[in-house]
Amino acid sequence: MSYCGSCHKENGQGVKNIFPSLTNSKVVSGRKNNLLRKVIHGAQVEGQSTEKFDTRMSPFGFLTDEELAAILTYIRKEFGNGAGAISVAEIQKEKSVNQP
Ligand code: HEC
């Protein structure tokens, strides 16, 4: 709610044509690298979204590894995504290797 809810909303559904829905999302439940790059570095995600968005999301690499792991585990588990957790180690790896 503090960091992501202002745009993607409490129910994860976002705002049509402005902020993408994180519900039943292939981006959220799909390849971890893709999701991590997006949220940590603000990179474009591989084209799995059904809608196009004019705005880009700013990077969230300033959050602690623990915060990022908790947030991403939450959005992967909730909102009909039913995907596995993201570990602190996976966050650290992404922060260290992958620049956009
Ligand atoms: C200021 C508004 C804003 C905030 C805050 C925000 N996002 Fe986003 N987010 C966007 C926009 C706009 C896009 C789509 C544009 C893009 O792909 O760069 C997006 C895209 C995404 C996507 C890819 C969805 C898709 O289907 O392509 C994910 C995942 C995501 N955000 C997760 C998060 C998480 C997790 C947080 C909190 C750490 C967060 N966002 C905070 C605006 C925001």
Side-chain angles (χ1 to χ4, degrees):
M1 274 316 286
S2 309
Y3 295 113
C4 322
S6 53
C7 296
H8 296 287
K9 302 301 171 192
E10 195 170 354
N11 58 10
Q13 289 178 353
V15 178
K16 194 162 170 46
N17 298 324
I18 305 175
F19 303 125
S21 172
L22 303 180
T23 63
N24 302 311
S25 164
K26 285 200 177 75
V27 173
V28 174
S29 62
R31 293 203 309 111
K32 288 180 179 178
N33 286 357
N34 202 35
L35 175 65
L36 290 171
R37 267 180 48 219
K38 163 96 259 169
V39 175
I40 293 174
H41 298 301
Q44 292 291 3
V45 289
E46 289 162 23
Q48 295 173 320
S49 297
T50 51
E51 298 178 87
K52 282 269 172 247
F53 297 91
D54 297 337
T55 39
R56 278 193 78 174
M57 191 174 98
S58 56
F60 280 85
F62 64 87
L63 296 178
T64 67
D65 302 344
E66 288 74 16
E67 286 171 327
L68 284 164
I71 290 169
L72 295 181
T73 295
Y74 173 78
I75 65 170
R76 277 168 64 85
K77 187 164 160 262
E78 300 295 324
F79 307 146
N81 293 318
I86 301 270
S87 68
V88 168
E90 285 169 317
I91 300 290
Q92 287 166 344
K93 184 159 169 260
E94 177 62 28
K95 277 189 175 174
S96 66
V97 295
N98 215 338
Q99 298 301 321

XYZ file of all heavy atoms in Angstrom:
809
model
N 0.825 -1.209 0.000
C 0.000 0.000 0.000
C 0.865 1.267 0.000
O 0.557 2.237 -0.678
C -0.933 0.003 1.229
C -2.237 -0.735 0.997
S -3.018 -0.377 -0.590
C -3.652 1.271 -0.281
N 1.968 1.270 0.735
C 2.793 2.479 0.823
C 3.474 2.802 -0.494
O 3.513 3.952 -0.914
C 3.878 2.307 1.881
O 3.323 1.870 3.075
N 4.026 1.790 -1.142
C 4.886 2.058 -2.293
C 4.215 1.785 -3.633
O 4.577 2.387 -4.633
C 6.157 1.216 -2.196
C 7.022 1.583 -1.018
C 7.208 0.695 0.024
C 7.649 2.830 -0.963
C 7.996 1.039 1.105
C 8.436 3.180 0.114
C 8.609 2.277 1.153
O 9.385 2.615 2.217
N 3.318 0.876 -3.675
C 2.776 0.435 -4.964
C 1.290 0.743 -5.097
O 0.781 0.893 -6.213
C 2.976 -1.068 -5.129
S 4.549 -1.660 -4.481
N 0.603 0.852 -3.959
C -0.850 0.955 -3.966
C -1.380 2.242 -4.566
O -2.497 2.275 -5.079
N -0.571 3.315 -4.522
C -1.044 4.583 -5.058
C -1.373 4.444 -6.542
O -2.284 5.090 -7.043
C -0.017 5.693 -4.835
O 1.240 5.307 -5.329
N -0.638 3.620 -7.236
C -0.902 3.436 -8.667
C -1.627 2.123 -8.965
O -2.627 2.112 -9.656
C 0.406 3.464 -9.456
S 1.241 5.063 -9.356
N -1.113 1.032 -8.426
C -1.698 -0.266 -8.783
C -2.916 -0.619 -7.945
O -3.585 -1.614 -8.218
C -0.639 -1.368 -8.685
C 0.478 -1.182 -9.662
N 0.326 -1.403 -11.012
C 1.761 -0.768 -9.497
C 1.473 -1.146 -11.637
N 2.355 -0.745 -10.748
N -3.176 0.184 -6.923
C -4.379 0.090 -6.088
C -4.363 -1.138 -5.160
O -3.680 -2.121 -5.399
C -5.657 0.084 -6.937
C -5.791 1.310 -7.828
C -5.803 2.597 -7.012
C -5.705 3.816 -7.920
N -5.435 5.045 -7.142
N -5.159 -0.976 -4.100
C -5.226 -1.969 -3.024
C -5.606 -3.353 -3.548
O -5.084 -4.359 -3.107
C -6.281 -1.493 -2.013
C -6.233 -2.195 -0.695
C -7.121 -1.501 0.322
O -7.675 -0.406 0.019
O -7.267 -2.054 1.411
N -6.521 -3.380 -4.507
C -6.967 -4.663 -5.047
C -6.085 -5.131 -6.206
O -6.370 -6.135 -6.842
C -8.425 -4.566 -5.512
C -8.618 -3.480 -6.578
O -7.645 -2.919 -7.099
N -9.859 -3.189 -6.898
N -5.026 -4.381 -6.499
C -4.094 -4.779 -7.553
C -4.582 -4.496 -8.958
O -3.889 -4.804 -9.924
N -5.757 -3.919 -9.085
C -6.338 -3.795 -10.423
C -5.894 -2.560 -11.202
O -6.221 -2.409 -12.369
C -7.867 -3.869 -10.355
C -8.307 -5.288 -10.013
C -9.801 -5.437 -9.888
O -10.542 -4.455 -9.927
N -10.267 -6.664 -9.720
N -5.128 -1.684 -10.555
C -4.601 -0.533 -11.267
C -5.689 0.411 -11.757
O -6.793 0.434 -11.206
N -5.346 1.179 -12.787
C -6.288 2.109 -13.392
C -6.223 1.888 -14.899
O -5.137 1.953 -15.484
C -5.922 3.583 -13.071
C -6.879 4.551 -13.759
C -5.906 3.826 -11.573
N -7.353 1.589 -15.475
C -7.361 1.195 -16.882
C -6.610 2.186 -17.769
O -6.808 3.389 -17.679
C -8.813 1.050 -17.356
C -8.928 0.324 -18.682
C -10.354 -0.187 -18.890
C -10.570 -0.700 -20.299
N -9.516 -1.576 -20.810
N -5.754 1.674 -18.626
C -4.948 2.444 -19.585
C -3.904 3.365 -18.947
O -3.196 4.070 -19.653
C -5.828 3.280 -20.516
C -6.732 2.399 -21.358
O -6.322 1.316 -21.771
N -7.949 2.837 -21.577
N -3.820 3.374 -17.627
C -2.812 4.237 -16.988
C -1.842 3.392 -16.162
O -0.643 3.383 -16.418
C -3.464 5.311 -16.095
C -4.476 6.119 -16.914
C -2.392 6.231 -15.504
C -5.267 7.129 -16.118
N -2.367 2.666 -15.178
C -1.527 1.806 -14.348
C -1.969 0.359 -14.518
O -3.105 0.030 -14.212
C -1.624 2.228 -12.879
C -1.251 3.675 -12.669
C -2.130 4.545 -12.034
C -0.041 4.174 -13.127
C -1.796 5.879 -11.850
C 0.305 5.513 -12.950
C -0.578 6.367 -12.309
N -1.079 -0.516 -14.992
C -1.507 -1.880 -15.319
C -1.993 -2.664 -14.106
O -1.519 -2.464 -12.990
C -0.247 -2.517 -15.909
C 0.885 -1.652 -15.500
C 0.326 -0.287 -15.294
N -2.928 -3.542 -14.361
C -3.410 -4.448 -13.330
C -2.336 -5.471 -13.010
O -1.648 -5.963 -13.906
C -4.666 -5.158 -13.841
O -5.031 -6.170 -12.937
N -2.192 -5.786 -11.738
C -1.261 -6.848 -11.332
C -2.019 -8.133 -11.036
O -1.464 -9.084 -10.516
C -0.469 -6.406 -10.092
C 0.324 -5.090 -10.230
C 1.055 -4.774 -8.927
C 1.292 -5.125 -11.406
N -3.329 -8.159 -11.384
C -4.124 -9.360 -11.126
C -4.029 -10.313 -12.314
O -3.978 -9.873 -13.465
C -5.608 -9.005 -10.889
O -6.151 -8.420 -12.073
C -5.769 -8.025 -9.742
N -4.007 -11.607 -12.019
C -3.895 -12.642 -13.054
C -2.866 -12.234 -14.113
O -3.126 -12.310 -15.304
C -5.250 -12.891 -13.717
C -6.297 -13.305 -12.710
O -6.050 -14.192 -11.900
N -7.438 -12.656 -12.718
N -1.709 -11.795 -13.639
C -0.711 -11.193 -14.520
C 0.419 -12.158 -14.846
O 1.063 -12.702 -13.956
C -0.138 -9.946 -13.841
O 1.056 -9.546 -14.472
N 0.666 -12.327 -16.147
C 1.777 -13.181 -16.565
C 3.110 -12.539 -16.211
O 4.099 -13.223 -15.996
C 1.710 -13.407 -18.080
C 0.639 -14.381 -18.515
C 0.968 -14.921 -19.922
C -0.039 -15.959 -20.387
N -1.319 -15.302 -20.796
N 3.119 -11.212 -16.180
C 4.362 -10.530 -15.803
C 4.694 -10.802 -14.343
O 5.840 -11.086 -13.987
C 4.233 -9.007 -16.057
C 5.444 -8.259 -15.514
C 4.077 -8.731 -17.547
N 3.671 -10.749 -13.488
C 3.898 -10.944 -12.059
C 4.197 -12.406 -11.736
O 5.116 -12.716 -10.983
C 2.683 -10.442 -11.239
C 2.846 -10.765 -9.760
C 2.516 -8.939 -11.434
N 3.440 -13.315 -12.331
C 3.611 -14.729 -11.990
C 4.659 -15.416 -12.870
O 5.088 -16.528 -12.576
C 2.278 -15.468 -12.111
O 1.827 -15.419 -13.444
N 5.076 -14.737 -13.943
C 5.992 -15.367 -14.893
C 7.450 -15.307 -14.467
O 7.750 -15.344 -13.276
N 8.330 -15.188 -15.460
C 9.763 -15.261 -15.172
C 10.188 -14.219 -14.147
O 9.931 -13.041 -14.288
C 10.562 -15.068 -16.470
C 10.383 -16.212 -17.453
C 11.537 -16.335 -18.433
N 11.865 -15.079 -19.089
C 12.979 -14.382 -18.873
N 13.875 -14.800 -18.011
N 13.195 -13.271 -19.522
N 10.898 -14.710 -13.130
C 11.290 -13.825 -12.035
C 12.208 -12.706 -12.515
O 12.081 -11.565 -12.086
C 11.989 -14.624 -10.941
C 11.055 -15.508 -10.145
C 11.834 -16.260 -9.072
C 10.909 -17.132 -8.240
N 11.682 -17.902 -7.238
N 13.148 -13.023 -13.413
C 14.096 -12.008 -13.890
C 13.396 -10.800 -14.459
O 13.780 -9.659 -14.224
C 14.973 -12.585 -15.006
C 15.999 -13.538 -14.458
O 16.073 -13.709 -13.244
N 16.778 -14.143 -15.329
N 12.376 -11.074 -15.220
C 11.605 -10.033 -15.877
C 10.949 -9.118 -14.846
O 11.062 -7.888 -14.904
C 10.543 -10.742 -16.730
C 10.017 -9.896 -17.854
O 10.742 -9.108 -18.439
N 8.742 -10.059 -18.151
N 10.298 -9.720 -13.869
C 9.620 -8.981 -12.808
C 10.629 -8.187 -11.982
O 10.422 -7.014 -11.687
C 8.848 -9.961 -11.921
C 8.180 -9.374 -10.685
C 7.079 -8.395 -11.063
C 7.600 -10.491 -9.820
N 11.732 -8.812 -11.631
C 12.744 -8.146 -10.811
C 13.349 -6.952 -11.543
O 13.551 -5.893 -10.960
C 13.847 -9.143 -10.421
C 13.410 -10.212 -9.416
C 14.487 -11.280 -9.267
C 13.094 -9.598 -8.071
N 13.644 -7.129 -12.831
C 14.203 -6.018 -13.604
C 13.257 -4.842 -13.627
O 13.637 -3.697 -13.451
C 14.481 -6.458 -15.051
C 15.898 -6.939 -15.253
C 16.134 -7.370 -16.685
N 15.653 -6.410 -17.652
C 15.049 -6.741 -18.787
N 14.826 -7.998 -19.101
N 14.666 -5.809 -19.620
N 12.011 -5.134 -13.853
C 10.981 -4.091 -13.918
C 10.937 -3.283 -12.618
O 11.023 -2.064 -12.625
C 9.629 -4.731 -14.187
C 8.423 -3.878 -13.907
C 7.900 -3.190 -15.119
C 8.313 -1.757 -15.192
N 8.006 -1.172 -16.499
N 10.800 -3.981 -11.521
C 10.547 -3.281 -10.266
C 11.826 -2.650 -9.700
O 11.802 -1.537 -9.184
C 9.879 -4.220 -9.239
C 9.721 -3.543 -7.890
C 8.514 -4.669 -9.763
N 12.953 -3.313 -9.838
C 14.193 -2.791 -9.260
C 14.812 -1.719 -10.145
O 15.267 -0.694 -9.664
C 15.182 -3.939 -8.981
C 14.610 -4.819 -7.865
C 16.563 -3.398 -8.592
C 15.415 -6.064 -7.576
N 14.833 -1.949 -11.448
C 15.513 -1.021 -12.347
C 14.566 -0.178 -13.185
O 15.003 0.686 -13.935
C 16.445 -1.793 -13.290
C 17.530 -2.521 -12.575
N 18.442 -1.885 -11.770
C 17.849 -3.831 -12.531
C 19.288 -2.778 -11.269
N 18.932 -3.965 -11.710
N 13.267 -0.440 -13.114
C 12.321 0.320 -13.925
C 12.432 0.018 -15.413
O 12.018 0.817 -16.241
N 13.018 -1.130 -15.739
C 13.197 -1.488 -17.147
C 11.864 -1.874 -17.774
O 10.917 -2.234 -17.085
C 14.167 -2.657 -17.262
N 11.821 -1.797 -19.094
C 10.640 -2.299 -19.794
C 10.561 -3.811 -19.582
O 11.575 -4.487 -19.600
C 10.751 -2.024 -21.295
C 10.670 -0.555 -21.655
C 9.280 0.029 -21.429
O 8.392 -0.654 -20.942
N 9.115 1.274 -21.769
N 9.360 -4.310 -19.426
C 9.221 -5.749 -19.335
C 8.998 -6.334 -20.723
O 8.549 -5.637 -21.626
C 8.054 -6.184 -18.420
C 8.382 -5.911 -16.976
C 6.783 -5.500 -18.827
N 9.342 -7.585 -20.876
C 9.076 -8.245 -22.152
C 7.571 -8.223 -22.393
O 6.795 -8.365 -21.472
C 9.586 -9.694 -22.106
C 11.100 -9.749 -22.120
C 11.636 -11.084 -21.639
O 10.900 -12.083 -21.710
O 12.781 -11.099 -21.188
N 7.199 -8.042 -23.649
C 5.812 -7.746 -23.960
C 4.798 -8.825 -23.643
O 4.358 -9.555 -24.524
N 4.416 -8.903 -22.392
C 3.397 -9.883 -22.026
C 2.094 -9.204 -21.645
O 1.092 -9.845 -21.458
C 3.878 -10.737 -20.855
C 5.082 -11.580 -21.227
C 5.646 -12.297 -20.019
O 5.713 -11.745 -18.929
N 6.058 -13.533 -20.200
N 2.158 -7.872 -21.498
C 0.947 -7.167 -21.105
C -0.026 -7.113 -22.261
O 0.370 -7.098 -23.423
C 1.282 -5.739 -20.685
O 2.105 -5.734 -19.574
N -1.275 -7.059 -21.927
C -2.289 -6.986 -22.966
C -2.544 -5.541 -23.385
O -3.062 -5.289 -24.448
C -3.609 -7.616 -22.491
O -3.937 -7.043 -21.239
C -3.478 -9.110 -22.358
N -2.166 -4.595 -22.511
C -2.370 -3.191 -22.831
C -1.027 -2.494 -22.936
O -0.048 -2.928 -22.349
C -3.169 -2.491 -21.729
C -4.556 -3.031 -21.525
C -5.247 -2.305 -20.373
O -5.841 -1.260 -20.641
O -5.158 -2.765 -19.237
N -0.984 -1.390 -23.662
C 0.229 -0.571 -23.745
C 0.077 0.630 -22.828
O -0.990 1.218 -22.734
C 0.442 -0.067 -25.183
C 1.021 -1.132 -26.107
C 2.556 -1.053 -26.095
C 3.205 -2.218 -26.835
N 3.927 -3.102 -25.959
N 1.180 0.994 -22.167
C 1.128 2.129 -21.251
C 2.127 3.185 -21.674
O 3.273 2.875 -21.993
C 1.404 1.659 -19.825
C 0.350 0.709 -19.348
C 0.497 -0.657 -19.532
C -0.814 1.178 -18.774
C -0.499 -1.538 -19.136
C -1.806 0.311 -18.381
C -1.649 -1.040 -18.554
N 1.676 4.439 -21.713
C 2.542 5.532 -22.156
C 3.559 5.909 -21.095
O 4.643 6.365 -21.387
C 1.705 6.777 -22.474
C 0.761 6.509 -23.628
O 1.044 5.597 -24.415
O -0.256 7.211 -23.720
N 3.169 5.731 -19.850
C 4.046 6.117 -18.752
C 4.972 4.980 -18.385
O 4.635 3.817 -18.566
C 3.206 6.481 -17.515
O 2.131 5.564 -17.437
C 2.680 7.884 -17.601
N 6.150 5.309 -17.901
C 7.056 4.283 -17.406
C 7.043 4.315 -15.885
O 6.853 5.352 -15.281
C 8.481 4.541 -17.894
C 8.722 4.028 -19.294
C 10.186 4.009 -19.614
N 10.858 2.869 -18.996
C 12.126 2.570 -19.237
N 12.855 3.310 -20.009
N 12.668 1.520 -18.665
N 7.282 3.161 -15.295
C 7.336 3.105 -13.845
C 8.760 3.411 -13.393
O 9.709 2.901 -13.969
C 6.930 1.707 -13.385
C 6.708 1.622 -11.900
S 6.064 0.015 -11.456
C 7.532 -0.819 -10.924
N 8.879 4.236 -12.370
C 10.215 4.556 -11.870
C 10.784 3.355 -11.104
O 10.044 2.537 -10.576
C 10.156 5.787 -10.972
O 9.237 5.569 -9.937
N 12.118 3.242 -11.061
C 12.732 2.094 -10.383
C 12.546 2.138 -8.868
O 12.511 3.213 -8.279
C 14.223 2.232 -10.735
C 14.414 3.521 -11.415
C 13.097 4.149 -11.678
N 12.436 0.969 -8.267
C 12.251 0.870 -6.828
C 13.442 0.226 -6.125
O 13.315 -0.331 -5.043
C 10.962 0.106 -6.500
C 9.743 0.971 -6.630
C 9.128 1.133 -7.854
C 9.243 1.664 -5.545
C 8.017 1.960 -7.997
C 8.137 2.490 -5.669
C 7.524 2.634 -6.896
N 14.616 0.336 -6.757
C 15.820 -0.253 -6.171
C 16.242 0.370 -4.856
O 17.090 -0.173 -4.159
N 15.634 1.508 -4.507
C 15.984 2.155 -3.233
C 15.377 1.437 -2.032
O 15.784 1.644 -0.904
C 15.542 3.627 -3.234
C 14.051 3.807 -3.332
C 13.264 3.805 -2.197
C 13.438 3.952 -4.575
C 11.886 3.954 -2.285
C 12.063 4.104 -4.682
C 11.284 4.102 -3.533
N 14.384 0.602 -2.272
C 13.808 -0.163 -1.158
C 14.820 -1.206 -0.689
O 15.681 -1.640 -1.455
C 12.520 -0.871 -1.602
C 11.351 0.028 -2.007
C 10.168 -0.812 -2.471
C 10.934 0.918 -0.850
N 14.717 -1.602 0.574
C 15.649 -2.613 1.075
C 15.344 -3.967 0.429
O 14.235 -4.201 -0.083
C 15.558 -2.783 2.603
O 14.280 -3.346 2.905
C 15.742 -1.450 3.323
N 16.344 -4.837 0.460
C 16.167 -6.172 -0.112
C 14.982 -6.880 0.548
O 14.203 -7.561 -0.114
C 17.443 -6.999 0.093
C 18.655 -6.320 -0.537
O 18.478 -5.407 -1.371
O 19.785 -6.705 -0.185
N 14.862 -6.694 1.857
C 13.782 -7.351 2.604
C 12.421 -6.803 2.175
O 11.466 -7.562 2.017
C 13.973 -7.155 4.118
C 15.115 -7.967 4.719
C 16.502 -7.409 4.371
O 16.593 -6.228 3.928
O 17.490 -8.155 4.524
N 12.346 -5.484 2.006
C 11.071 -4.888 1.577
C 10.680 -5.393 0.191
O 9.531 -5.754 -0.050
C 11.182 -3.354 1.538
C 11.195 -2.708 2.904
C 11.534 -1.219 2.852
O 12.320 -0.790 1.981
O 11.031 -0.480 3.710
N 11.653 -5.399 -0.715
C 11.361 -5.843 -2.084
C 10.933 -7.309 -2.111
O 9.969 -7.669 -2.786
C 12.582 -5.628 -2.977
C 12.820 -4.163 -3.389
C 14.229 -3.977 -3.936
C 11.788 -3.711 -4.420
N 11.627 -8.131 -1.366
C 11.265 -9.555 -1.332
C 9.844 -9.728 -0.797
O 9.048 -10.495 -1.340
C 12.271 -10.342 -0.485
N 9.509 -8.966 0.243
C 8.177 -9.081 0.849
C 7.095 -8.602 -0.124
O 6.072 -9.263 -0.307
C 8.116 -8.278 2.150
N 7.338 -7.460 -0.769
C 6.344 -6.902 -1.695
C 6.131 -7.843 -2.878
O 4.998 -8.146 -3.263
C 6.785 -5.508 -2.208
C 6.705 -4.472 -1.089
C 5.922 -5.069 -3.399
C 7.370 -3.135 -1.425
N 7.242 -8.315 -3.459
C 7.103 -9.148 -4.658
C 6.520 -10.510 -4.329
O 5.734 -11.065 -5.109
C 8.450 -9.267 -5.371
C 8.956 -7.914 -5.928
C 10.283 -8.088 -6.641
C 7.937 -7.294 -6.867
N 6.860 -11.042 -3.176
C 6.247 -12.307 -2.753
C 4.741 -12.112 -2.589
O 3.944 -12.949 -3.018
C 6.886 -12.792 -1.440
O 8.259 -13.107 -1.694
C 6.182 -14.033 -0.908
N 4.378 -10.965 -2.016
C 2.956 -10.654 -1.810
C 2.199 -10.586 -3.140
O 1.171 -11.253 -3.306
C 2.821 -9.348 -1.036
C 1.399 -8.854 -0.908
C 0.531 -9.428 0.025
C 0.923 -7.827 -1.709
C -0.773 -8.981 0.138
C -0.380 -7.376 -1.604
C -1.230 -7.960 -0.676
O -2.529 -7.521 -0.576
N 2.722 -9.782 -4.088
C 1.950 -9.639 -5.336
C 1.942 -10.933 -6.146
O 1.032 -11.180 -6.908
C 2.402 -8.434 -6.215
C 3.825 -8.598 -6.739
C 2.240 -7.122 -5.458
C 4.203 -7.560 -7.799
N 2.968 -11.780 -5.982
C 2.962 -13.059 -6.708
C 1.967 -14.048 -6.104
O 1.392 -14.867 -6.815
C 4.374 -13.661 -6.735
C 5.224 -13.058 -7.852
C 6.682 -13.403 -7.717
N 6.959 -14.840 -7.833
C 7.137 -15.474 -9.005
N 7.080 -14.828 -10.138
N 7.404 -16.764 -9.017
N 1.792 -13.961 -4.779
C 0.897 -14.894 -4.109
C -0.563 -14.456 -4.254
O -1.447 -15.289 -4.476
C 1.289 -14.938 -2.617
C 0.574 -15.971 -1.797
C 1.334 -16.180 -0.479
C 0.447 -16.816 0.557
N -0.151 -15.830 1.498
N -0.795 -13.139 -4.113
C -2.165 -12.601 -4.137
C -2.638 -12.330 -5.564
O -1.939 -12.640 -6.530
C -2.207 -11.294 -3.336
C -1.808 -11.445 -1.884
C -2.775 -12.307 -1.090
O -3.990 -12.237 -1.346
O -2.313 -13.074 -0.220
N -3.816 -11.715 -5.668
C -4.352 -11.196 -6.932
C -4.508 -12.285 -7.993
O -4.364 -12.023 -9.189
C -3.457 -10.085 -7.491
C -3.157 -8.952 -6.541
C -1.929 -8.303 -6.570
C -4.105 -8.527 -5.621
C -1.656 -7.249 -5.694
C -3.830 -7.468 -4.737
C -2.601 -6.838 -4.792
N -4.747 -13.524 -7.558
C -4.971 -14.589 -8.516
C -3.718 -15.062 -9.234
O -3.802 -15.807 -10.207
N -2.555 -14.643 -8.763
C -1.328 -15.020 -9.457
C -0.784 -16.379 -9.002
O -0.244 -17.132 -9.809
C -0.259 -13.933 -9.286
C -0.656 -12.652 -10.007
O -1.162 -12.703 -11.118
N -0.443 -11.518 -9.368
N -0.911 -16.670 -7.708
C -0.565 -17.992 -7.183
C 0.838 -18.478 -7.521
O 1.038 -19.671 -7.750
N 1.818 -17.559 -7.555
C 3.188 -17.959 -7.887
C 4.059 -17.970 -6.640
O 3.684 -17.452 -5.590
C 3.762 -17.011 -8.936
N 5.243 -18.558 -6.788
C 6.133 -18.755 -5.651
C 6.783 -17.476 -5.156
O 6.748 -16.437 -5.801
N 7.406 -17.591 -3.980
C 8.026 -16.457 -3.302
C 9.277 -15.963 -4.036
O 9.869 -16.683 -4.837
C 8.394 -16.853 -1.885
N 9.649 -14.728 -3.736
C 10.923 -14.161 -4.169
C 11.777 -14.006 -2.917
O 11.329 -13.429 -1.927
C 10.726 -12.769 -4.827
C 9.804 -12.843 -6.039
C 12.071 -12.132 -5.147
C 10.464 -13.105 -7.357
N 13.004 -14.509 -2.960
C 13.856 -14.471 -1.774
C 14.716 -13.217 -1.750
O 14.923 -12.555 -2.782
C 14.755 -15.693 -1.752
O 15.697 -15.603 -2.808
N 15.224 -12.907 -0.566
C 16.149 -11.784 -0.417
C 17.381 -12.012 -1.297
O 17.883 -11.087 -1.930
C 16.547 -11.625 1.074
C 17.721 -10.662 1.232
C 15.348 -11.110 1.871
N 17.841 -13.248 -1.387
C 19.012 -13.558 -2.221
C 18.750 -13.231 -3.694
O 19.630 -12.723 -4.393
C 19.392 -15.030 -2.064
N 17.550 -13.503 -4.153
C 17.209 -13.197 -5.553
C 17.199 -11.687 -5.800
O 17.604 -11.217 -6.866
C 15.852 -13.820 -5.918
C 15.953 -15.318 -6.120
C 14.601 -16.015 -6.212
O 13.688 -15.693 -5.416
O 14.454 -16.886 -7.080
N 16.739 -10.928 -4.818
C 16.765 -9.459 -4.919
C 18.211 -8.982 -4.994
O 18.574 -8.157 -5.841
C 16.069 -8.814 -3.694
C 14.606 -9.251 -3.575
C 16.203 -7.295 -3.743
C 13.682 -8.710 -4.603
N 19.054 -9.505 -4.109
C 20.456 -9.078 -4.068
C 21.157 -9.373 -5.381
O 21.924 -8.560 -5.887
C 21.187 -9.778 -2.907
C 20.771 -9.215 -1.560
C 21.207 -10.085 -0.388
O 21.561 -11.251 -0.561
N 21.185 -9.511 0.807
N 20.852 -10.534 -5.939
C 21.480 -10.913 -7.199
C 21.078 -9.921 -8.297
O 21.930 -9.411 -9.032
C 21.045 -12.329 -7.570
C 21.711 -12.867 -8.807
C 21.655 -14.395 -8.860
C 22.089 -14.892 -10.222
N 20.963 -15.237 -11.108
N 19.806 -9.610 -8.377
C 19.333 -8.678 -9.394
C 19.948 -7.293 -9.206
O 20.362 -6.648 -10.166
C 17.808 -8.588 -9.350
C 17.198 -7.590 -10.314
C 17.479 -7.896 -11.778
O 17.666 -9.078 -12.110
O 17.525 -6.936 -12.575
N 20.034 -6.836 -7.961
C 20.617 -5.515 -7.693
C 22.082 -5.479 -8.125
O 22.560 -4.472 -8.612
C 20.516 -5.169 -6.204
C 19.170 -4.600 -5.806
C 19.219 -4.080 -4.374
C 17.927 -3.393 -3.980
N 17.921 -3.018 -2.549
N 22.785 -6.578 -7.939
C 24.224 -6.571 -8.216
C 24.560 -6.751 -9.690
O 25.492 -6.143 -10.190
C 24.938 -7.648 -7.395
O 24.504 -8.918 -7.825
N 23.799 -7.551 -10.412
C 24.204 -7.831 -11.781
C 23.524 -7.014 -12.862
O 24.159 -6.591 -13.814
C 24.029 -9.337 -12.158
C 24.959 -10.195 -11.334
C 22.597 -9.776 -12.035
N 22.241 -6.799 -12.723
C 21.478 -6.413 -13.909
C 21.124 -4.941 -13.955
O 20.208 -4.488 -13.308
C 20.196 -7.268 -13.933
C 19.806 -7.611 -15.336
O 20.200 -6.932 -16.278
N 19.021 -8.656 -15.482
N 21.845 -4.164 -14.738
C 21.487 -2.770 -14.957
C 20.693 -2.667 -16.256
O 20.969 -3.408 -17.175
C 22.748 -1.913 -15.049
C 23.589 -1.913 -13.773
C 22.836 -1.406 -12.555
O 22.061 -0.469 -12.661
N 23.043 -2.044 -11.423
N 19.740 -1.755 -16.322
C 18.947 -1.651 -17.547
C 19.766 -1.096 -18.709
O 20.744 -0.392 -18.473
C 17.833 -0.684 -17.175
C 18.319 0.079 -15.997
C 19.311 -0.818 -15.284
C 3.714 6.161 -9.760
C 2.888 5.033 -10.136
C 3.439 3.631 -9.873
C 3.888 3.121 -8.686
C 3.982 3.817 -7.331
C 4.241 1.735 -8.958
N 3.998 1.436 -10.268
Fe 4.229 -0.378 -11.158
N 3.749 0.431 -12.962
C 3.383 1.739 -13.177
C 3.211 1.970 -14.604
C 2.814 3.277 -15.270
C 3.490 0.744 -15.231
C 3.428 0.427 -16.733
C 4.529 1.085 -17.520
C 5.723 0.255 -17.655
O 5.623 -0.943 -18.026
O 6.836 0.778 -17.414
C 3.827 -0.205 -14.164
C 4.127 -1.543 -14.370
C 4.342 -2.465 -13.356
C 4.521 -3.868 -13.571
C 4.472 -4.590 -14.914
C 3.044 -4.912 -15.221
C 2.817 -5.328 -16.642
O 1.812 -6.014 -16.872
O 3.617 -4.981 -17.505
C 4.728 -4.450 -12.355
C 4.940 -5.912 -12.046
C 4.682 -3.388 -11.381
N 4.443 -2.193 -12.014
C 4.857 -3.568 -10.024
C 4.962 -2.518 -9.097
C 5.387 -2.677 -7.722
C 5.749 -4.000 -7.058
C 5.371 -1.438 -7.152
C 5.793 -1.060 -5.733
C 7.148 -1.408 -5.352
C 4.927 -0.505 -8.177
N 4.704 -1.198 -9.344
C 4.734 0.859 -7.988
C 3.189 2.693 -12.202
C 3.533 2.567 -10.868
